[in-house]
Amino acid sequence: MTDARTALAAALPDSDLITDPDVLAAISHDDAEWAAVGTPVAALRARSTAEVSAAVAACAGLRVPIVPRGAGTGLSGGANAVDGCLVLDLSRMNKIIDIDADNLTVVVQPGVVNDDLKKAVAAHGLWYPPDPASAPWSTIGGNVSTNAGGLCCLKYGVTRDYVLGMEAVVGGPAGQYGTTVRLGRRTTKGVSGYDLAGLFVGSEGTLGVITEVTLRLRPARTQPPRTVVGAFDSVVTAGQAVAAATRSGLVPAALELLDRVCLQAVEEWKHLGLSPSAEALLLAQIDTPGPSGQEEADTMAAVFRDAGALWAEQSTDEFEAEALFAARRLAYPALERLSPVLTEDVCVPRSAVPAILRSILDIAGRHGVRIATIAHAGDGNLHPLILTPPGDDAARAAAQAAFEEMLTAAIALGGTVTAEHGVGLLKRRGMRQEMSPAALAMQRAVKQTFDPLDLFNPGKVVGDPTG
Amino acid sequence: MTDARTALAAALPDSDLITDPDVLAAISHDDAEWAAVGTPVAALRARSTAEVSAAVAACAGLRVPIVPRGAGTGLSGGANAVDGCLVLDLSRMNKIIDIDADNLTVVVQPGVVNDDLKKAVAAHGLWYPPDPASAPWSTIGGNVSTNAGGLCCLKYGVTRDYVLGMEAVVGGPAGQYGTTVRLGRRTTKGVSGYDLAGLFVGSEGTLGVITEVTLRLRPARTQPPRTVVGAFDSVVTAGQAVAAATRSGLVPAALELLDRVCLQAVEEWKHLGLSPSAEALLLAQIDTPGPSGQEEADTMAAVFRDAGALWAEQSTDEFEAEALFAARRLAYPALERLSPVLTEDVCVPRSAVPAILRSILDIAGRHGVRIATIAHAGDGNLHPLILTPPGDDAARAAAQAAFEEMLTAAIALGGTVTAEHGVGLLKRRGMRQEMSPAALAMQRAVKQTFDPLDLFNPGKVVGDPTG
């Protein structure tokens, strides 16, 4: 390892390589519990595309793997170091290069934090919708690499729907490792060649390093949204209300589910004044303007009641509505305070939401594990959170068994093992279960084509889960 | 050729191969003027995925290229036969397999006609938005293969935004040519592996043959949209109004431009009662429900007037509004009645719409060619139509020179050579101009990976334009 480090330092005389073991350890992993973490030879906080290009070229010459990372808020181990790698931290490349209000686009470096982007474009009357719960910390580069979703993708789509083009440092067919290319476009439409920008979205740094992104924006919403809350005596009943809402033709901006464990954890931490008496809450956000929005809110409340809600009403208090969505966003860190959390990210057809919720209760019961559930329920995207007491090996084994069983249950219902967190390390086995051998072979061929030396984030996504 | 035909017939004893020269000639090309058309050895109107699979396997064994096609309404030569190929017509695979109102999805075979799909899902209160002008004839397989757009993609996105998953018959890394795979998913979200379904969208049959598509739907719109019409004394002024509309934060469902040549051609043919006195019309369609929609329509009319419209008003007559949009959809066939039409499909950033319109006038003047322009102006997507007297070789040469110059002009303004028609044969040179050599090498590597024998629609998209 020392040899590789010395050689890398010699090859990159203008870069400050980080070699301090404590700093290296701190930037060698993301937020995925129990995913394997390797030991890097060094890390680099790149300042420019030129520096990324030089680093990739040097790494290729020395056959040092490259693990790109942003804020490290990922939940699948996609940013975890592998042994002997260079951790390439892009969080310092955080410039907003061009806000173009005439064309509803913005050009950013990958290290720009999601919420910082939102604030900057809001000052121009514009809106960047994708809103993962990590938005206050996570970077656009990471959001693009995992195709991050969030709450409002029910109506406004995921990160993929906002990426028009990008600059990336690549290898393989483009020429030498370290070659900089532009993929995609800056126009609203375009079919000039294969959609390689789209292919890089969600590729978790395994095909190259994204150094700039051109994003589509929307005009800012001009009216505050309406919030409808429904309380239910079971998560399954709440799931049935979600299926009924979809059937009714309503398209809310968000339709979220929180169970009682989540609500209690948030309340104990933040004292927002929530009364977590029901087993599950549904939060619907409706942003259709004017009287039509009011009609939709009334319909949503009626749908909740017809589906068996204990109560359902529109929040007339904007402060209260904000507190409810704040609770939703805080659920994950609130639970993480209490114990290690293993996070699921399954997605099923919306009509199967009650069935997967029933499966989760069953799996928790059989394995004796505690599972709290938050869900982008309107999208069929559930985040069951498996809570384990620290240092309890038996509980950890049970949690891992429950984790794999939930993946199997989602696939059996026509779903997928990851909706928005990415495959990383933790979902590789699930992905193999979800796809046919022929489809998997096509996946591996893409990796082999763009990264023949297997240097870009090796082992992730298409890597061998047993290795 | 006869040998290949005999061998193909022997290898496909259960298929009815078409060998009649007149029928072959009729299904050997799409609607692209002057794109090269080769001579197939045979054609096959496939009835099932199994038949497609057998045909692809047989073709691979005999090294016979495969040119898939739907209705043949393409405008870039993407469905044109190459010498010695099998034309694989998918228009008979036209079953709507499953309309799932609970999950807002539909599963279709590739030969389903766009408008037939729209009608079928409308009966369930659902809507499939992508609306290319060819919607009464073009098939979903063709729409997916070119990533077709249309009028309402300004607000509702292009075909890509509706494709969740697909079944395809492939070769290369998946195993033997003729292997059937499922790509993508049926859930609303998903990041399990690289987005290969997305990669196949817009790939024009060069990576495999799409045999089934799972599409996302929306709830049907419940209120008739509002139409705002603006008349302008020049196309450039109309273009400035488009840029002003974008800046204003309005998001109409459609924002179309027609110049006087188009309006006259439609009127002479259909007698819709249009009065084509202005040099350009803008048609805006606003579908925000209720009073907010009325406010937006008023703002749009004001934006048109402030930008210098001769007049701008909301159509209060639904019949008249429908006639205006009918005129838009009929513009292309109306012009095609008069003379051969070479169709452009450039897209520029929306703020550059006035500049590209100025360039088009300049190019037409310098080359002495007649150019009519229709445009999805709100998307920056223009379709200048070059009209040439039949049998005039000098006019044809001038038209081709003008065609290439418009591509150069679009690229210089930060645009792309094709927004929604695809590269096919006609835009291969433009695509090479638009992309860097490194990006082109990545494009070619994708083709080589998925089709190492170069059998799927060879020569298209990444093919050599001089060959």
Side-chain angles (χ1 to χ4, degrees):
Chain A
M1 187 178 293
T2 316
D3 288 354
R5 183 180 292 171
T6 308
L8 209 49
L12 296 168
D14 300 327
S15 290
D16 295 323
L17 288 187
I18 297 165
T19 55
D20 178 277
D22 292 341
V23 180
L24 280 187
I27 60 170
S28 284
H29 64 88
D30 63 19
D31 274 349
E33 282 297 324
W34 306 333
V37 179
T39 305
V41 290
L44 172 61
R45 295 200 162 110
R47 303 270 178 182
S48 68
T49 299
E51 193 173 11
V52 171
S53 171
V56 168
C59 284
L62 298 164
R63 297 296 190 269
V64 170
I66 301 141
V67 178
R69 65 177 278 126
T73 58
L75 292 164
S76 296
N80 282 11
V82 299
D83 284 338
C85 78
L86 176 74
V87 169
L88 189 53
D89 179 352
L90 297 149
S91 60
R92 301 275 167 97
M93 287 178 65
N94 60 357
K95 285 194 199 72
I96 296 174
I97 296 168
D98 180 36
I99 299 174
D100 184 345
D102 286 353
N103 289 301
L104 307 181
T105 57
V106 62
V107 181
V108 298
Q109 287 189 318
V112 172
V113 168
N114 181 306
D115 270 358
D116 292 344
L117 172 64
K118 282 192 168 64
K119 273 176 223 141
V121 303
H124 296 255
L126 300 169
W127 180 35
Y128 177 68
D131 59 348
S134 62
W137 314 283
S138 64
T139 64
I140 294 300
N143 290 177
V144 170
S145 295
T146 56
N147 192 10
L151 278 65
C152 73
C153 35
L154 177 53
K155 182 167 180 178
Y156 294 103
V158 293
T159 302
R160 168 71 189 89
D161 300 309
Y162 293 85
V163 176
L164 293 173
M166 62 180 63
E167 177 191 78
V169 173
V170 297
Q176 299 297 314
Y177 275 74
T179 301
T180 303
V181 292
R182 292 208 158 264
L183 305 174
R185 55 186 205 275
R186 48 185 278 213
T187 53
T188 56
K189 292 157 81 176
V191 288
S192 186
Y194 306 120
D195 183 10
L196 298 188
L199 189 67
F200 270 59
V201 176
S203 66
E204 304 187 38
T206 63
L207 305 179
V209 182
I210 296 170
T211 49
E212 191 186 286
V213 187
T214 301
L215 296 164
R216 185 198 297 270
L217 300 171
R218 288 179 177 269
R221 293 184 286 191
T222 52
Q223 298 180 15
R226 291 175 173 80
T227 299
V228 177
V229 188
F232 297 84
D233 64 0
S234 87
V235 290
V236 175
T237 314
Q240 285 159 347
V242 169
T246 306
R247 270 198 306 276
S248 74
L250 291 168
V251 184
L255 181 50
E256 297 288 312
L257 180 150
L258 288 96
D259 74 2
R260 197 164 53 88
V261 183
C262 295
L263 286 166
Q264 279 178 338
V266 173
E267 188 54 31
E268 281 162 22
W269 183 27
K270 293 289 182 181
H271 310 294
L272 295 172
L274 309 167
S275 52
S277 55
E279 281 301 313
L281 281 193
L282 287 180
L283 306 180
Q285 191 176 73
I286 287 157
D287 65 358
T288 304
S292 300
Q294 186 55 53
E295 279 168 36
E296 290 178 26
D298 293 342
T299 306
M300 185 64 81
V303 165
F304 286 177
R305 281 189 287 267
D306 290 349
L310 300 171
W311 54 265
E313 57 195 43
Q314 185 179 341
S315 174
T316 49
D317 176 346
E318 214 175 303
F319 188 78
E320 180 200 65
E322 188 40 50
L324 287 164
F325 277 94
R328 164 62 189 87
R329 280 187 289 268
L330 291 169
Y332 180 74
L335 290 161
E336 224 182 4
R337 277 176 72 236
L338 306 179
S339 70
V341 174
L342 189 58
T343 308
E344 271 293 3
D345 176 40
V346 293
C347 195
V348 295
R350 288 173 270 204
S351 60
V353 167
I356 188 78
L357 285 165
R358 221 175 276 123
S359 281
I360 292 165
L361 293 175
D362 173 56
I363 290 166
R366 272 192 291 106
H367 290 278
V369 296
R370 199 161 172 227
I371 300 182
T373 294
I374 48 180
H376 307 306
D379 279 320
N381 177 196
L382 291 89
H383 296 309
L385 307 168
I386 312 177
L387 314 174
T388 48
D392 180 340
D393 282 352
R396 183 171 155 157
Q400 283 182 319
F403 183 88
E404 296 294 337
E405 271 192 38
M406 284 192 270
L407 301 184
T408 305
I411 294 168
L413 289 166
T416 179
V417 299
T418 177
E420 57 179 15
H421 291 173
V423 173
L425 295 169
L426 295 183
K427 294 293 171 68
R428 292 178 302 176
R429 193 188 308 272
M431 186 179 103
R432 287 185 175 214
Q433 196 180 338
E434 183 178 333
M435 287 184 192
S436 69
L440 270 171
M442 293 170 76
Q443 293 278 334
R444 282 193 214 101
V446 168
K447 168 69 172 173
Q448 168 67 25
T449 299
F450 287 109
D451 183 19
L453 300 179
D454 198 23
L455 292 179
F456 290 121
N457 212 3
K460 314 297 171 65
V461 188
V462 292
D464 180 358
T466 62
Chain B
M1 186 178 294
T2 316
D3 288 353
R5 184 180 292 171
T6 308
L8 210 49
L12 295 168
D14 300 328
S15 290
D16 295 323
L17 287 186
I18 297 165
T19 56
D20 179 277
D22 292 341
V23 181
L24 279 186
I27 60 169
S28 286
H29 64 87
D30 62 20
D31 275 348
E33 283 297 325
W34 305 335
V37 179
T39 306
V41 290
L44 171 61
R45 294 199 164 111
R47 302 272 179 180
S48 68
T49 298
E51 194 173 10
V52 172
S53 171
V56 168
C59 284
L62 297 164
R63 298 295 190 271
V64 169
I66 301 142
V67 178
R69 65 176 278 125
T73 58
L75 292 164
S76 296
N80 282 11
V82 300
D83 283 338
C85 77
L86 175 75
V87 169
L88 188 53
D89 180 353
L90 296 149
S91 60
R92 301 275 168 96
M93 287 178 65
N94 60 357
K95 284 195 201 71
I96 296 174
I97 296 168
D98 180 37
I99 300 174
D100 183 346
D102 286 352
N103 288 301
L104 307 180
T105 57
V106 62
V107 180
V108 299
Q109 287 188 318
V112 172
V113 168
N114 181 306
D115 269 358
D116 292 345
L117 173 63
K118 282 192 170 64
K119 273 175 221 138
V121 303
H124 295 255
L126 300 169
W127 181 35
Y128 176 68
D131 59 347
S134 62
W137 314 283
S138 64
T139 64
I140 294 299
N143 290 178
V144 170
S145 295
T146 56
N147 192 10
L151 278 65
C152 74
C153 36
L154 177 53
K155 183 168 180 177
Y156 294 103
V158 294
T159 302
R160 168 73 189 88
D161 301 308
Y162 293 86
V163 176
L164 293 173
M166 61 180 62
E167 177 191 79
V169 173
V170 297
Q176 299 296 316
Y177 274 75
T179 301
T180 304
V181 291
R182 292 207 159 263
L183 306 174
R185 56 187 203 275
R186 47 185 279 215
T187 53
T188 55
K189 293 157 82 176
V191 287
S192 186
Y194 305 120
D195 182 9
L196 298 187
L199 189 67
F200 270 59
V201 175
S203 66
E204 302 186 37
T206 62
L207 305 179
V209 182
I210 296 170
T211 49
E212 190 185 287
V213 187
T214 301
L215 296 164
R216 183 198 299 267
L217 300 171
R218 286 179 178 268
R221 293 184 286 191
T222 52
Q223 298 181 16
R226 292 174 171 82
T227 298
V228 176
V229 189
F232 295 83
D233 64 0
S234 86
V235 289
V236 175
T237 313
Q240 285 159 347
V242 169
T246 306
R247 269 199 306 276
S248 74
L250 291 167
V251 185
L255 180 51
E256 296 289 312
L257 180 151
L258 287 97
D259 74 3
R260 198 164 54 87
V261 183
C262 294
L263 285 165
Q264 279 178 339
V266 174
E267 189 54 31
E268 281 162 22
W269 184 27
K270 293 290 181 181
H271 309 294
L272 295 172
L274 308 167
S275 52
S277 54
E279 281 301 312
L281 281 194
L282 287 181
L283 305 180
Q285 192 176 71
I286 287 157
D287 66 358
T288 304
S292 300
Q294 186 55 53
E295 277 168 37
E296 289 179 26
D298 294 341
T299 305
M300 185 64 82
V303 166
F304 286 177
R305 280 189 289 265
D306 289 350
L310 300 171
W311 53 265
E313 57 196 44
Q314 185 178 342
S315 175
T316 49
D317 176 347
E318 215 175 305
F319 187 79
E320 180 200 65
E322 189 39 51
L324 287 165
F325 277 94
R328 164 61 189 86
R329 280 186 290 266
L330 291 169
Y332 180 74
L335 290 161
E336 223 182 5
R337 277 176 72 237
L338 306 179
S339 70
V341 174
L342 189 58
T343 308
E344 271 292 2
D345 176 40
V346 294
C347 195
V348 295
R350 288 174 269 204
S351 59
V353 168
I356 188 78
L357 286 164
R358 221 175 277 124
S359 282
I360 293 165
L361 293 175
D362 172 58
I363 290 166
R366 272 190 293 107
H367 290 277
V369 295
R370 199 162 170 228
I371 300 181
T373 294
I374 47 179
H376 307 306
D379 279 319
N381 177 196
L382 291 88
H383 296 308
L385 306 168
I386 312 177
L387 313 175
T388 48
D392 181 339
D393 282 352
R396 182 171 155 154
Q400 284 183 319
F403 184 87
E404 297 293 338
E405 271 193 37
M406 283 191 271
L407 301 185
T408 305
I411 293 169
L413 289 166
T416 180
V417 299
T418 177
E420 57 181 14
H421 291 173
V423 173
L425 294 169
L426 295 182
K427 294 291 172 69
R428 292 178 301 175
R429 193 187 307 273
M431 187 179 104
R432 289 187 174 212
Q433 197 180 336
E434 184 179 333
M435 286 184 195
S436 69
L440 270 171
M442 291 171 77
Q443 293 278 333
R444 283 194 214 101
V446 167
K447 169 69 172 172
Q448 167 68 23
T449 299
F450 287 109
D451 182 19
L453 300 179
D454 198 23
L455 291 179
F456 291 121
N457 210 3
K460 314 297 171 65
V461 188
V462 292
D464 180 357
T466 63

